[in-house]
Amino acid sequence: MHVHSKLAVVGAAVSLWFQPGAAQTCANVSTTQTYDYIIVGSGAGGIPIADRLSEAGHSVLLIEKGPPSTGRWGGTMKPKWLADTNLTRFDVPGLCNQIWADPSGVSCTDVDQMAGCVLGGGTAVNAGLWWKPHPDDWDTNFPTGWQSKDLAGATEKVFSRIPGTTAPSMDGKRYLSQGFDMLGGNLGKAGWKFIVPNDNPQLKNRTYGHSTFMYSGGERGGPLATYLVSASSRKTFTLWTNTVAKRVVRTGGHITGVELECNGAGHAGVVSVTPTTGRVILSAGVFGSTKLLFRSGIGPTDQLNIVKNSADGPTMIGNDSWINLPVGYNLNDHVGTDIEIAHPDVVFYDYYGAWTKPIVSDTETYLTNRTGPLAQAAPNIGPIFWEIIKGADGVLRHLHWQSRVEGTLNTSMTVTQYLGTGSVSRGRLTITRQLNTVVSTPPYLHDENDKAAVVQGLINLQESLASVANLTWITPRSNVTAAQFVNSVPATPSRRGSNHWIGTAKIGADDGRTGGKSVVDLNLKVYGTDNLFVVDASIFPGMITANPSAAIVIVSEHAATKILALPPAAA
Ligand SMILES: Cc1cc2nc3c(=O)[nH]c(=O)nc-3n(C[C@H](O)[C@H](O)[C@H](O)COP(=O)(O)OP(=O)(O)OC[C@H]3O[C@@H](n4cnc5c(N)ncnc54)[C@H](O)[C@@H]3O)c2cc1C
Ligand SMILES: *[C@@H]1O[C@H](CO)[C@@H](O)[C@H](O)[C@H]1NC(C)=O
Ligand SMILES: *[C@@H]1O[C@H](CO)[C@@H](O)[C@H](O)[C@H]1NC(C)=O
Ligand SMILES: *[C@@H]1O[C@H](CO)[C@@H](O)[C@H](O)[C@H]1NC(C)=O
Ligand SMILES: *[C@@H]1O[C@H](CO)[C@@H](O)[C@H](O)[C@H]1NC(C)=O
Ligand SMILES: *[C@@H]1O[C@H](CO)[C@@H](O)[C@H](O)[C@H]1NC(C)=O
Ligand SMILES: *[C@@H]1O[C@H](CO)[C@@H](O)[C@H](O)[C@H]1NC(C)=O
Ligand SMILES: *[C@@H]1O[C@H](CO)[C@@H](O)[C@H](O)[C@H]1NC(C)=O
Ligand SMILES: *[C@@H]1O[C@H](CO)[C@@H](O)[C@H](O)[C@H]1NC(C)=O
């Protein structure tokens, strides 16, 4: 593979990125070569399809705006105790929550939500939770060709490469299982059924299990450790990190390349696709792909006029070539509702402290054997449990409850209820004149049946735990009803947000240019273009049950098959 040497291999240029306040430098990349596929963004969507397309013999360029993350790719960010190793903060499961303690140089700075802008995107910074989807996740919202039966092959492929584990420590033990034992044990007594989640993805009603992670070998694993490794072994694959795509360059609906952006000095250029047959794939995530589409003159006229009035204005594509599509609409996220319970058996482990003042014996067992608490995700996540609630509208709504040992007491657990599949809440993502993407309409609880499911799920949990000795409800308190509590939590991203954004470039047969709601067709090609595709969380038409990264990787696998089967576009 070609990694741009100055940026990805030599530390000097990379470290510029971490200097507070330093403007991003422009990648010193050659724009003379052309590529069959240019993919923008190296997250859950971008990496797998880059691998599949290069495997098929095509020349592929993967452009990532952020720096390298895990050690394998030249990442450098780490606490002192990792100094003599080839690991970074991104490799160690127990350090995954460092993004909340210190997001600088890691989180995206042009977005009003938390998102990872490093190599691997969300898959480099997330908690690694990894779920085989429930059939309803596809069948409730996805169109023809994207039903659970159609996705079975892609699912099998993804889980053969990244099987996931419920016991990430290399000795197969689960450390600090008191939270799981207390809460899981009591759910079991109340009739909830214990399952191995990814062996039984279809059993999501009153079931519980251990958290399942994409981790392998006691390290992060996932797409960065699998798909990107095989892609990089091919001469036809090129990776540019620290390189920002500004927009696609197009003549009408035919894309000829991708324009790169520099802040200040440096050389901005256009990297071109193979004439006539080349294609561009946007995998920049919900925020990044929406922004790239707007800057490329694709989206609702009000948003394109904002871009027209920004610094981009003088060089933006003319309005006679704008493609009017509902980009940014249909934004969704899991509706998150946090409750907090305490029980004397629960034991807190200070994962945040593991950065500066780790328990030395725990770093030793981790470094020597990849065992112990640091081989597990902060902040000790589990149990996970599920319920399906039928609404007054007849819709089945999926609840996914995610527990963590973290709260106001060292004996407390915060348990987040995610409302997923079946929820009908809708939001909107827009752009500002400074070219930041913002959640202008939060997607949470616009629908009464959504709210009823959230309330009913909480009541059912309260009933299931009603007779547990020594269990204290901290939130909601016992003098507050479930409905009062749910109504009291504002429907804002800061109080409800789950970082599971989807939906702003929805897939569907209903062409958004002519009154439909979809931005991409059933091959994920942007309507009105010959050769521009979106392959990331943006294309999801509706919410799914659980944390979405595995489902996004499955979409990417399936998209590769669809795109490879398309005849070359005519110019
Ligand atoms: C803190 C956190 C924890 C999470 N925990 C979990 C979890 O445990 N399990 C789970 O399943 N999901 C989790 N998620 C969600 C999951 O990681 C995301 O849903 C998923 O990564 C989205 O995939 P994507 O391909 O759409 O975008 P991303 O993974 O966000 O990738 C987009 C990439 O594009 C790059 N990019 C953007 N704009 C440009 C540009 N103009 N030029 C070049 N590159 C660009 C970005 O830097 C980024 O690398 C979490 C998310 C966050 C933020
Ligand atoms: C950019 O790379 C080219 C060749 O790859 C090299 O000749 C040139 O000196 C580099 N420029 C900078 C500013 O590093
Ligand atoms: C890290 O180094 C060890 C040997 O010290 C090697 O076995 C391993 O493959 C390296 N891992 C990565 C991700 O580079
Ligand atoms: C879920 O399980 C509960 C309790 O067993 C049951 O009453 C309910 O009908 C089930 N819901 C669905 C949608 O299957
Ligand atoms: C398109 O742009 C031209 C030139 O900037 C402007 O005169 C015209 O009003 C615009 N048309 C629309 C429909 O916005
Ligand atoms: C690593 O594992 C070996 C074999 O189980 C054990 O003897 C050794 O004590 C472990 N080292 C540490 C630091 O835990
Ligand atoms: C909670 O745990 C932390 C870290 O283990 C410890 O420093 C703190 O004193 C504990 N607090 C209480 C109230 O026990
Ligand atoms: C509840 O707490 C009391 C007093 O701390 C203790 O004696 C009892 O064993 C606890 N019961 C359970 C079921 O934990
Ligand atoms: C519940 O009780 C707490 C104190 O225990 C009080 O502060 C709060 O106002 C009460 N809430 C309601 C809705 O009565």
Side-chain angles (χ1 to χ4, degrees):
M1 75 155 187
H2 315 274
V3 172
H4 183 259
S5 61
K6 198 155 190 275
L7 293 159
V9 176
V10 181
V14 167
S15 65
L16 268 181
W17 176 269
F18 306 120
Q19 286 170 10
Q24 184 175 13
T25 53
C26 209
N28 179 22
V29 291
S30 164
T31 50
T32 52
Q33 195 187 326
T34 64
Y35 299 89
D36 295 340
Y37 286 91
I38 299 175
I39 300 170
V40 180
S42 67
I47 288 177
I49 197 165
D51 182 39
R52 288 287 313 280
L53 297 174
S54 64
E55 180 190 43
H58 297 286
S59 59
V60 174
L61 169 63
L62 178 59
I63 299 177
E64 168 55 48
K65 77 193 284 192
S69 50
T70 54
R72 187 195 309 272
W73 302 110
T76 56
M77 301 172 86
K78 57 178 75 182
K80 284 206 181 74
W81 62 271
L82 291 177
D84 298 331
T85 73
N86 56 7
L87 302 177
T88 68
R89 64 189 264 182
F90 304 101
D91 290 293
V92 181
L95 296 177
C96 71
N97 260 4
Q98 190 64 19
I99 187 162
W100 298 105
D102 179 14
S104 66
V106 177
S107 65
C108 307
T109 52
D110 58 347
V111 170
D112 72 341
Q113 305 299 320
M114 179 59 90
C117 272
V118 292
L119 184 67
T123 71
V125 303
N126 70 21
L129 288 157
W130 186 249
W131 307 108
K132 201 173 275 188
H134 186 288
D136 286 359
D137 292 353
W138 309 115
D139 300 341
T140 303
N141 294 302
F142 275 74
T144 312
W146 293 81
Q147 297 290 288
S148 55
K149 63 174 171 29
D150 306 307
L151 275 301
T155 305
E156 204 172 297
K157 221 165 163 184
V158 170
F159 278 81
S160 71
R161 295 199 72 173
I162 309 175
T165 176
T166 60
S169 172
M170 290 306 283
D171 54 7
K173 290 186 194 152
R174 292 187 195 91
Y175 290 82
L176 295 156
S177 65
Q178 298 92 344
F180 180 90
D181 294 344
M182 186 285 290
L183 186 49
N186 283 305
L187 289 171
K189 282 182 197 154
W192 297 57
K193 193 171 162 240
F194 175 80
I195 57 163
V196 178
N198 287 350
D199 291 351
N200 301 277
Q202 76 289 4
L203 299 181
K204 289 279 186 319
N205 190 28
R206 298 241 178 181
T207 52
Y208 71 101
H210 291 288
S211 304
T212 310
F213 301 97
M214 67 184 185
Y215 302 146
S216 65
E219 299 173 10
R220 170 166 292 277
L224 282 167
T226 52
Y227 288 96
L228 193 57
V229 173
S230 48
S232 297
S233 69
R234 297 186 192 106
K235 286 198 170 66
T236 50
F237 177 77
T238 304
L239 170 66
W240 291 348
T241 54
N242 283 310
T243 304
V244 186
K246 178 174 183 176
R247 57 194 172 197
V248 302
V249 179
R250 62 187 175 92
T251 305
H254 196 80
I255 316 306
T256 54
V258 173
E259 186 175 342
L260 307 177
E261 181 176 52
C262 296
N263 295 334
H267 131 109
V270 173
V271 54
S272 300
V273 292
T274 308
T276 312
T277 56
R279 291 166 172 156
V280 171
I281 297 177
L282 302 182
S283 299
V286 163
F287 305 109
S289 291
T290 298
K291 178 167 162 174
L292 282 159
L293 288 166
F294 290 166
R295 295 181 90 182
S296 307
I298 301 169
T301 307
D302 62 349
Q303 298 306 296
L304 303 190
N305 276 320
I306 293 170
V307 175
K308 184 76 198 160
N309 289 319
S310 77
D312 272 13
T315 57
M316 189 186 182
I317 191 166
N319 60 13
D320 52 340
S321 293
W322 288 2
I323 301 174
N324 189 337
L325 284 168
V327 179
Y329 287 98
N330 193 54
L331 176 70
N332 212 347
D333 183 20
H334 280 125
V335 180
T337 305
D338 281 358
I339 61 115
E340 187 183 351
I341 54 178
H343 188 281
D345 289 355
V346 173
V347 175
F348 172 76
Y349 183 89
D350 188 7
Y351 280 98
Y352 293 100
W355 184 266
T356 46
K357 279 185 242 143
I359 296 170
V360 174
S361 56
D362 289 346
T363 59
E364 282 169 356
T365 57
Y366 182 76
L367 291 172
T368 314
N369 291 331
R370 299 287 187 272
T371 58
L374 295 170
Q376 302 182 166
N380 202 6
I381 305 169
I384 312 288
F385 48 104
W386 296 274
E387 180 160 23
I388 300 176
I389 292 187
K390 189 171 187 167
D393 54 2
V395 174
L396 298 179
R397 286 177 175 74
H398 289 223
L399 299 176
H400 166 109
W401 292 87
Q402 190 163 302
S403 321
R404 57 189 201 268
V405 181
E406 184 177 55
T408 55
L409 304 173
N410 281 358
T411 54
S412 60
M413 301 176 79
T414 299
V415 190
T416 304
Q417 181 209 67
Y418 294 138
L419 171 66
T421 306
S423 67
V424 296
S425 313
R426 293 286 182 258
R428 191 180 179 197
L429 189 66
T430 55
I431 196 161
T432 68
R433 274 186 67 172
Q434 292 70 40
L435 300 173
N436 296 320
T437 46
V438 296
V439 175
S440 53
T441 306
Y444 314 107
L445 297 176
H446 292 290
D447 180 275
E448 281 309 311
N449 291 299
D450 280 359
K451 191 176 276 186
V454 171
V455 171
Q456 190 59 51
L458 176 52
I459 291 170
N460 293 350
L461 179 64
Q462 288 171 323
E463 282 174 0
S464 292
L465 300 178
S467 60
V468 179
N470 298 346
L471 182 104
T472 312
W473 279 80
I474 298 176
T475 312
R477 287 170 186 269
S478 55
N479 62 348
V480 177
T481 67
Q484 282 170 338
F485 171 67
V486 169
N487 282 317
S488 74
V489 183
T492 58
S494 66
R495 297 299 299 281
R496 296 285 189 179
S498 306
N499 303 300
H500 297 159
W501 302 99
I502 59 156
T504 45
K506 164 181 144 35
I507 182 177
D510 53 330
D511 184 338
R513 292 172 302 168
T514 53
K517 294 197 157 136
S518 297
V519 171
V520 296
D521 69 14
L522 303 188
N523 296 308
L524 306 191
K525 184 154 69 81
V526 176
Y527 281 110
T529 73
D530 296 342
N531 55 343
L532 180 63
F533 298 79
V534 180
V535 178
D536 61 24
S538 318
I539 71 97
F540 281 64
M543 197 26 96
I544 61 174
T545 308
N547 321 64
S549 64
I552 299 166
V553 175
I554 292 168
V555 160
S556 182
E557 271 278 0
H558 196 57
T561 306
K562 294 255 181 200
I563 292 171
L564 284 167
L566 287 175

